[in-house]
């Protein structure tokens, strides 16, 4: 029994050691934990010369970089790095780089990462700027983002193994500036109004998109058979200010309903970032503009108009606010018909 | 026996220890920074950051193994330039790796406060055409900074460390990979919940302040130079024109060259044969890469489309448009991966394509005693089909001896040789043309030239 125990322990140690050795030299990865490495057969640290040059992203103005930047507002940034200068690096991780020479201009890419969705987009500019400068326009609000700059530059150096020959590689310089992007766009929600199977929808669409500075403007889309019996009917009204005082015009957006109609209201649309659903309100109010004055209970799936004491000028209304506090209030006139 | 077992145990322990030690050595964290004044930068960082998590780390980037990756001296290239030589229209995969893709963030730093990753990596692949100096160029070949330059951002944010695709245009490229990952440096108060659900169930970092937070984005990037080699034979257009009643054939030829070259460049080699009335004055023979669905095939599958329209491609002199056929390309050199498109009806020398060619055209038909000219032009995908390439058209006899043109560059034959059965003792002639691009791909045309015994004008009615 004792012999058996010793042999077992001995075998276990040997097997354990062998498996460790195997995992260290085998570039296979645990794809359950690092699925992005599927198909990769490289070491994580390159052994050849490929210098990484430090970089900082600053404002072109030299002012302190803000903790929070504003959606759609251009921000003029600059990448400070020796990769843009005349002298290439002479060392990389303890390895000497003899007689280094830049072969090409820096190859620059700017991107913004939104860590909430893990998506990044490229920044491009047709403006004439220095090579290390960029105007970044963040179009997606996020509580966690990063402005990044990646620069690669081809260089060559003496091949010490073959005197008289040269070798080439790329030096790289890259860094991130973590930022928040503040949402300044009100929601673009609308209402679908359904009466006895016939529907009308009224909703705004930000136009032009990503406008800065405020106010944001929108087109108001008005469509549906409830207006005139034509299910293909659609009208677009331009130039509304997107915000807490959007009044659909009576002449083109009045919803014709009979006094005894049962009206179903559905909220459509969304916010460009996140809607605060706890503040969402809709229903029927008296008059348009300012704070809505409801004439019945809010947020009901159906309204029996016969049971409501309608004001002289009744409106459907929608009051939506996003998590950043941007508010949209939309008033749609009601036209009582026989 | 006891001593034997004890010895085995000792050996086992010793072996395991060495393995553990070795494992520890190979997982040594990346702690040094590279570049000019690295030590100064490290000192600066130490003063401003309490974390030793670097701002960026180096990256490995390469193509995955493929038989279509060519040697560093491919087609006489300079191996010292460090470019990866690849072929147009072939599928390639690239892969990359760096410390921010690892499972464990501790590999980046000696910091014992246990940095950990706070997100999946964000990974983007960028492909950019450049000129020989590294200037970005757009799809029209305009350089960054030129007034007509249209920025092209060919980037794929796929968030994985490999990416496959094709290079459909030849030339110089720079492939870039941009990686980033949130790292919790473990310095300061990183407590608090992660926030709620946002759009599409994404994690929301609502309760963390971007700057006071302990997390930061660490980046990694790498660039690779690639040269995409041309494996497509050049497009060739040949126009034939009779000069009956015209005295200045030289001027006609110059006009014809200009006319077809302009049109060839404008249409990027793909002829428009829908309006046959345009071909009353001249006949056009075209060899081009073909319709969209026929283009950009892998080099070993490449074909060219042959088409012919005009009255000089049939014995009746009728203006008609031929069908189009695909001519298979052959390999000139496996080492250089150069291709040949042969347009010939010789069954012995062009067995694979002879009958297909013959279904489109079986010869050039001219009338005896009537002077004619021909004009040739060629464009190549290697230069974005923007500039004319040299073509060498000529007429030769069956021994390969060139028939000289007249002083005005026209030809005139006095004796008929067609139909061949009726003129067995008459010499045979061939129209021959050859175009070669800068990469060594070739298009050749060799078709019989028939001299008709007819004084009637060519009919121009369409069939």
């Amino acid at each position: 029994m004792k012999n058996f125990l010793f042999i077992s322990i001995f075998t276990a140690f040997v097997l354990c050691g062998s498996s460790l050795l195997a995992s260290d030299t085998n570039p296979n990865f645990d794809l359950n934990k690092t699925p992005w490495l599927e198909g990769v057969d490289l070491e994580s640290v390159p052994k050849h010369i490929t210098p990484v040059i430090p970089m900082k992203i600053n404002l072109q103005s030299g002012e302190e970089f803000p903790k929070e930047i504003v959606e759609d507002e251009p921000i003029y940034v600059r990448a400070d790095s020796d990769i843009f200068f005349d002298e290439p690096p002479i060392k990389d991780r303890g390895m000497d780089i003899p007689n280094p020479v830049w072969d090409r201009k820096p190859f620059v890419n700017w991107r913004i990462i939104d860590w909430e969705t893990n998506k990044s987009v490229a920044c491009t500019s047709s403006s004439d700027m220095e090579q290390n400068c960029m105007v970044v326009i963040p179009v997606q609000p996020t509580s966690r983002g990063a402005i990044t700059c990646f620069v690669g530059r081809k260089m060559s150096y003496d091949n010490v193994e073959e005197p008289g020959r040269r070798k080439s590689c790329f030096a790289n310089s890259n860094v991130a500036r973590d930022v928040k992007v503040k949402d300044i766009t009100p929601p673009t929600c609308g209402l679908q109004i359904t009466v006895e199977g016939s529907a009308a929808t009224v909703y705004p669409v930000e136009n032009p998109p990503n406008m800065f500075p405020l106010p944001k403007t929108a087109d108001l889309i008005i469509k549906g058979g409830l207006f005139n019996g034509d299910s293909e009917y659609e009208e677009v009204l331009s130039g509304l200010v997107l915000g807490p005082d959007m009044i659909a015009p009576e002449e083109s957006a009045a919803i014709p309903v009979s006094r005894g109609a049962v009206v179903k209201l559905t909220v459509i649309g969304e916010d460009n970032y996140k809607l605060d659903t706890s503040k969402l309100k809709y229903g029927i109010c008296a008059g348009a503009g300012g704070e809505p004055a409801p004439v019945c209970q809010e947020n009901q799936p159906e309204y029996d108009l016969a049971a409501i004491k309608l004001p002289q000028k009744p409106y459907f209304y929608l009051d939506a606010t996003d998590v950043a506090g941007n508010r949209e209030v939309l008033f749609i006139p009601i036209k009582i018909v026989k | 026996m006891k001593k034997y077992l004890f010895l085995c145990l000792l050996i086992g322990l010793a072996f395991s220890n060495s393995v553990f030690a070795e494992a520890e050595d190979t997982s040594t964290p990346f702690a040094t920074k590279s570049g000019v004044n690295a030590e100064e930068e490290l000192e600066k960082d130490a003063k401003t950051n309490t974390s030793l998590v670097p701002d960026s780390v180096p990256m490995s980037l390469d193509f995955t193994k493929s038989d279509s990756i060519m040697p560093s001296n491919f087609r006489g290239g300079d191996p010292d330039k460090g470019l990866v030589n690849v072929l147009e229209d072939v599928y390639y995969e690239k892969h990359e790796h760096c410390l921010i893709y690892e499972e464990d963030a501790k590999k980046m730093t000696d910091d014992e406060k246990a940095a950990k990753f706070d997100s999946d990596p964000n990974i983007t692949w960028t492909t950019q055409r450049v000129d020989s100096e590294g200037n970005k160029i757009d799809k029209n070949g305009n350089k960054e900074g030129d007034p007509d330059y249209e920025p092209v951002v060919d980037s794929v944010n796929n968030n994985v460390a490999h990416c496959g695709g094709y290079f459909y245009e030849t030339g110089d490229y720079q492939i870039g990979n941009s990686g980033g990952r949130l790292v919790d440096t473990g310095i300061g108060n990183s407590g608090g919940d992660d926030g709620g659900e946002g759009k599409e169930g994404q994690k929301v970092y609502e309760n963390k302040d971007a700057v006071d937070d302990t997390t930061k984005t660490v980046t990694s990037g790498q660039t690779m130079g690639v040269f995409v080699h041309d494996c497509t034979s050049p497009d060739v257009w040949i126009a034939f024109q009779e000069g009956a009643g015209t005295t200045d054939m030289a001027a006609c030829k110059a006009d014809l060259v200009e006319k077809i070259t302009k049109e060839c460049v404008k249409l990027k080699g793909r002829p428009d044969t829908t309006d046959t009335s345009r071909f009353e004055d001249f006949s056009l023979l075209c060899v081009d890469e073909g319709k969209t669905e026929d283009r950009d095939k892998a080099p070993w599958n490449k074909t060219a489309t042959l088409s012919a329209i005009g009255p000089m491609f049939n014995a009746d002199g009728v203006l008609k448009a031929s069908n189009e056929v695909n001519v298979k390309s052959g390999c000139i050199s496996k080492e250089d991966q150069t291709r040949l498109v042969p347009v010939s009806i010789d069954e012995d020398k062009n067995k694979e394509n002879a009958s297909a060619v013959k279904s489109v055209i079986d010869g050039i038909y001219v009338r005896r005693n009537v002077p004619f000219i021909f004009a040739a032009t060629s464009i190549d995908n290697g230069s974005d089909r923007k500039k004319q390439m040299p073509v060498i058209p000529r007429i030769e006899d069956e021994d390969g001896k060139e028939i000289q043109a007249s002083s005005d560059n026209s030809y005139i034959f006095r004796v008929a040789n067609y139909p061949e059965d009726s003129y067995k003792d008459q010499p045979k002639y061939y129209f021959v043309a050859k175009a070669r691009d800068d990469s060594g791909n070739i298009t050749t045309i060799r078709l019989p030239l028939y001299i008709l015994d007819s004084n009637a004008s060519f009919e121009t009615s369409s069939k």
Side-chain angles (χ1 to χ4, degrees), chain A residues 191-193 263-267 282-284 300-303 316:
Chain A
L191 281 175
Q192 180 179 69
I193 301 118
V263 178
K264 185 176 168 187
L265 293 183
T266 312
V267 175
Y282 60 91
I284 300 173
Q300 298 302 300
E302 279 184 352
Y303 290 92
F316 294 115

Side-chain angles (χ1 to χ4, degrees), chain B residues 157-169:
Chain B
N157 173 216
N158 65 0
N159 292 341
V160 291
H162 68 273
C163 182
Y166 295 83
F167 296 97
Y168 291 120
E169 289 165 355

Side-chain angles (χ1 to χ4, degrees), chain B residues 393-454:
Chain B
R394 64 190 217 163
I395 294 177
E396 60 186 36
D397 64 18
E398 58 192 311
D399 296 323
K401 187 179 165 194
E402 184 176 359
I403 308 298
Q404 295 297 327
S406 310
S407 56
D408 62 357
N409 288 324
S410 70
Y411 294 82
I412 187 164
F413 290 85
R414 302 292 180 190
V415 180
N417 69 359
Y418 184 87
E420 288 176 294
D421 289 343
S422 307
Y423 296 93
K424 282 180 186 167
D425 57 337
Q426 291 302 318
K428 292 182 174 25
Y429 299 104
Y430 294 89
F431 171 81
V432 172
K434 181 176 176 179
R436 184 184 185 281
D437 66 22
D438 293 337
S439 300
N441 303 296
I442 295 172
T443 300
T444 60
I445 297 169
R446 189 169 193 273
L447 294 166
L449 181 76
Y450 296 122
I451 296 106
L452 299 169
D453 187 9
S454 167

Side-chain angles (χ1 to χ4, degrees), chain B residues 56-106:
Chain B
S56 63
V57 294
M59 177 189 280
S60 304
L61 173 65
D62 204 352
F63 280 92
T64 59
K65 286 189 176 57
S66 164
D67 291 339
S68 301
I69 303 284
M70 297 293 118
S72 58
N73 61 352
F74 182 66
R75 290 187 183 177
D78 182 357
D80 292 348
K81 283 202 168 169
L83 293 175
V84 180
N85 290 298
V86 301
L87 305 177
E88 65 165 324
D89 307 329
V90 174
Y91 183 78
Y92 290 97
E93 282 248 358
K94 305 170 286 280
H95 57 165
E96 49 102 357
H97 196 14
C98 58
L99 287 171
I100 59 172
Y101 300 160
E102 292 272 18
E103 193 181 319
D104 189 353
K106 283 180 242 179

Side-chain angles (χ1 to χ4, degrees), chain B residues 53-226:
Chain B
V53 173
D55 289 338
S56 63
V57 294
M59 177 189 280
S60 304
L61 173 65
D62 204 352
F63 280 92
T64 59
K65 286 189 176 57
S66 164
D67 291 339
S68 301
I69 303 284
M70 297 293 118
S72 58
N73 61 352
F74 182 66
R75 290 187 183 177
D78 182 357
D80 292 348
K81 283 202 168 169
L83 293 175
V84 180
N85 290 298
V86 301
L87 305 177
E88 65 165 324
D89 307 329
V90 174
Y91 183 78
Y92 290 97
E93 282 248 358
K94 305 170 286 280
H95 57 165
E96 49 102 357
H97 196 14
C98 58
L99 287 171
I100 59 172
Y101 300 160
E102 292 272 18
E103 193 181 319
D104 189 353
K106 283 180 242 179
K107 288 187 179 179
M108 278 192 293
T109 174
D110 285 329
D111 190 341
E112 299 220 348
K113 288 184 177 103
K116 61 178 179 146
F117 289 122
D118 211 24
S119 76
D120 289 349
N122 185 279
I123 305 172
T124 300
W125 297 84
T126 306
T127 304
Q128 175 70 52
R129 283 185 75 186
V130 294
D131 63 15
S132 55
E133 289 164 19
N135 296 303
K136 291 180 185 176
I137 56 175
D138 65 17
K139 59 181 180 179
N140 298 316
N142 299 308
K143 201 168 66 175
E144 190 178 29
D146 289 346
D148 295 331
Y149 175 74
E150 296 168 1
V152 176
V153 181
D154 180 1
S155 61
V156 176
N157 173 216
N158 65 0
N159 292 341
V160 291
H162 68 273
C163 182
Y166 295 83
F167 296 97
Y168 291 120
E169 289 165 355
T170 61
D172 249 303
Y173 285 78
Q174 282 188 181
I175 310 291
N177 187 280
S178 317
R181 197 165 182 188
L182 277 176
V183 179
D184 188 334
T185 62
I187 309 290
N189 181 16
S190 61
D193 66 313
D194 289 340
E197 292 281 311
K199 250 199 252 193
E200 300 167 358
Q202 292 294 332
K203 203 171 182 179
V204 171
Y205 297 87
E206 275 184 65
N207 297 328
K208 293 184 177 182
D209 181 359
V211 173
D212 297 337
D213 194 48
T214 59
T215 61
K216 75 173 194 180
T217 301
V218 178
T219 56
S220 184
Q222 186 55 273
T223 318
M224 184 163 61
V226 177

Side-chain angles (χ1 to χ4, degrees), chain A residues 249-287:
Chain A
E250 200 161 328
E251 56 274 15
S252 41
I255 307 287
V257 291
S258 64
R259 192 62 183 86
V262 174
V263 178
K264 185 176 168 187
L265 293 183
T266 312
V267 175
I268 59 173
E270 58 183 1
D271 184 65
N272 65 322
Y273 182 48
K274 290 190 197 78
L275 205 58
D276 186 347
T277 51
S278 69
K279 294 183 180 170
L280 184 65
K281 292 177 198 163
Y282 60 91
I284 300 173
C285 66

Side-chain angles (χ1 to χ4, degrees), chain A residues 10 52 105 144 172 174 178, chain B residues 8 34 135 213 217 219 222:
Chain A
F10 172 73
V52 176
K105 293 163 57 170
R144 171 64 63 167
N172 294 279
N174 48 81
D178 293 294
Chain B
C8 288
S34 59
N135 296 303
D213 194 48
T217 301
T219 56
Q222 186 55 273

Side-chain angles (χ1 to χ4, degrees), chain A residues 91-168:
Chain A
K91 262 188 182 308
D92 174 26
R93 292 167 288 162
M95 295 183 277
D96 286 326
I97 308 177
N99 292 326
V101 169
W102 291 124
D103 286 343
R104 285 185 178 177
K105 293 163 57 170
F107 176 70
V108 186
N109 275 311
W110 290 83
R111 300 190 70 83
I112 302 184
I113 302 174
D114 176 2
W115 282 118
E116 288 195 39
T117 57
N118 197 11
K119 288 194 169 116
S120 68
V121 291
C123 308
T124 58
S125 174
S126 53
S127 304
D128 262 332
M129 277 187 286
E130 296 291 323
Q131 195 173 22
N132 65 333
C133 295
M134 175 56 74
V135 55
V136 171
I137 304 177
V139 298
Q140 180 56 45
T142 181
S143 64
R144 171 64 63 167
I147 297 173
T148 63
C149 180
F150 294 85
V151 182
R153 192 169 184 182
K154 195 155 182 275
M155 57 181 285
S156 60
Y157 54 95
D158 286 343
N159 182 345
V160 295
E161 288 144 23
E162 290 182 64
R165 301 288 299 267
R166 304 271 292 169
K167 271 189 158 182
S168 285

